[in-house]
Amino acid sequence: MSDAPIPLVDLSIQFHEIWGDFQSDFAKLCESGGFIGGSTVSEFESQFAQFMQVKHCVGVGNGGDAIELALRAINVSHGDEVLIPANTFIATATAVSRVGAIPIPIDVSETDFLIDVSKIEEQISTRTKAIIPVHLFGQMANMEAITEIAHRHGLSVIEDAAQSHGATRNGLSCGSLGIAAATSFYPGKNLGAFGDGGAVITNDSKLQNQIRKLRNYGGINKYEHDVVGFNSRLDSIQALVLSHKLKHLEHWNKQRSTAAETYRRYLEDTPGVILPEINDGNTHVWHLYVIRIQNRDGILNTLTEQGIGVGIHYPKPFSELPAYSHILKSKNNCQVASQLSKEILSLPIYPGIADQQIRRVCSALKQSLTS
Ligand SMILES: Cc1ncc(COP(=O)(O)O)c(C=O)c1O
């Protein structure tokens, strides 16, 4: 078996798949000089809206801005509270902070790492305005329960769909169930750009109009500024990359599923390893393949020494990070997230990972468990 390094994510495979078709369109775009806005961006926006089963998509600068813009558009502001899962990338929390609101951590469920719906209501206060479920690692949170709670308490739901392009629940696409959804096209995402990128998607025409203004200094037409906005545009080179990659996304997501199935075959019944599960009704797009083990740090070091790219998503609940630990009142209500953060390990997964590479990761893992 080859002992070449196995990265956590290998983007070069995707690059080679699109490069042939992409390069002539790229040359045309460069010749046209249309680097900001224009048809390349609007074409991608409609393709992505269609893929996500929604009416509107507004391309923006990155996923964090997408969440912030969605919150601004529904008027979440200073002093409001927004409920978010404790285990997420910090961008979900910082977007809330940037509009002046407070992100309130909700503990996650031990089986799927997603927001624990049974713990949402106890954190709702008179200041709560919204819930942001995060469809973490590639599968959707329990949107039926979340929308029911939100409806009963008059809260808005904004989905964080950064890690779930293509994921569905009972046949419905992620990002199509809240008032709006935010997503990221960070290069390593299932649909990733050649740099930063993001989008807000929604079925609400007024909201999309407001977001279009906010992302472009407060106006849609040049020099007409209705509101105070800022620059968070998706540039046309990134939109072109994303249009080309979108054509491959379903097939790449299938390859991720096959890789996840291969991990299951090699690792099931391995004592001490808890494998990720797919919840009923969900299709999983395996943005990350996250297992649970004891002695996680020791195993992580051993695998790293052997050239195997592993990761931790995430090393601490956001509420325990220095950026937030002094702000939040209830530090101890996320015990599951805290415990999981010590046990989780992300194994290499990406479209094009070979069966033989997965076999090597699994045998190195098994060996390190017994040594
Ligand atoms: C769950 C989640 N939310 C938000 C973001 C922020 O996206 P970006 O890095 O594009 O700002 C990311 C990714 O990086 C993410 O994984």
Side-chain angles (χ1 to χ4, degrees), residues 62-64 67 88-89 91-92 134 136 160 162-163 184 186 189 197 314:
N62 58 68
I67 305 170
T88 181
F89 182 56
T92 320
V134 180
L136 201 71
D160 181 336
Q163 300 192 5
S184 162
Y186 182 83
K189 298 294 191 239
Y314 294 91

Side-chain angles (χ1 to χ4, degrees), residues 105-243:
I106 307 293
D107 209 355
V108 297
S109 142
E110 201 175 2
T111 51
D112 58 19
F113 319 106
L114 301 168
I115 192 164
D116 183 342
V117 293
S118 72
K119 306 224 173 105
I120 292 179
E121 283 194 277
E122 63 202 44
Q123 296 299 329
I124 294 177
S125 77
T126 50
R127 290 180 296 278
T128 311
K129 285 286 160 56
I131 309 174
I132 308 183
V134 180
H135 306 312
L136 201 71
F137 304 157
Q139 77 170 325
M140 286 176 67
N142 182 345
M143 288 301 290
E144 307 85 82
I146 294 164
T147 43
E148 190 278 321
I149 294 169
H151 186 70
R152 211 152 20 84
H153 292 271
L155 308 176
S156 301
V157 177
I158 293 173
E159 297 170 71
D160 181 336
Q163 300 192 5
S164 58
H165 306 140
T168 62
R169 184 169 174 84
N170 302 321
L172 301 173
S173 172
C174 69
S176 68
L177 300 170
I179 178 81
T183 198
S184 162
F185 303 122
Y186 182 83
K189 298 294 191 239
N190 288 40
L191 180 64
F194 285 178
D196 277 314
V200 185
I201 57 175
T202 180
N203 284 314
D204 186 314
S205 316
K206 267 200 185 148
L207 211 60
Q208 71 116 7
N209 210 35
Q210 182 69 355
I211 292 162
R212 279 191 191 287
K213 288 180 184 172
L214 288 171
R215 71 154 181 194
N216 190 42
Y217 289 119
I220 290 172
N221 300 320
K222 215 168 187 180
Y223 306 128
E224 291 173 18
H225 309 278
D226 303 338
V227 288
V228 178
F230 53 97
N231 176 359
S232 183
R233 299 179 292 236
L234 177 69
D235 76 58
S236 30
I237 292 181
Q238 300 309 337
L240 187 66
V241 171
L242 293 165
S243 279

Side-chain angles (χ1 to χ4, degrees), residues 255-272:
Q255 291 186 328
R256 288 176 183 272
S257 278
T258 306
E261 199 37 52
T262 310
Y263 271 121
R264 168 161 299 282
R265 248 188 305 119
Y266 287 135
L267 290 177
E268 67 190 347
D269 305 326
T270 307

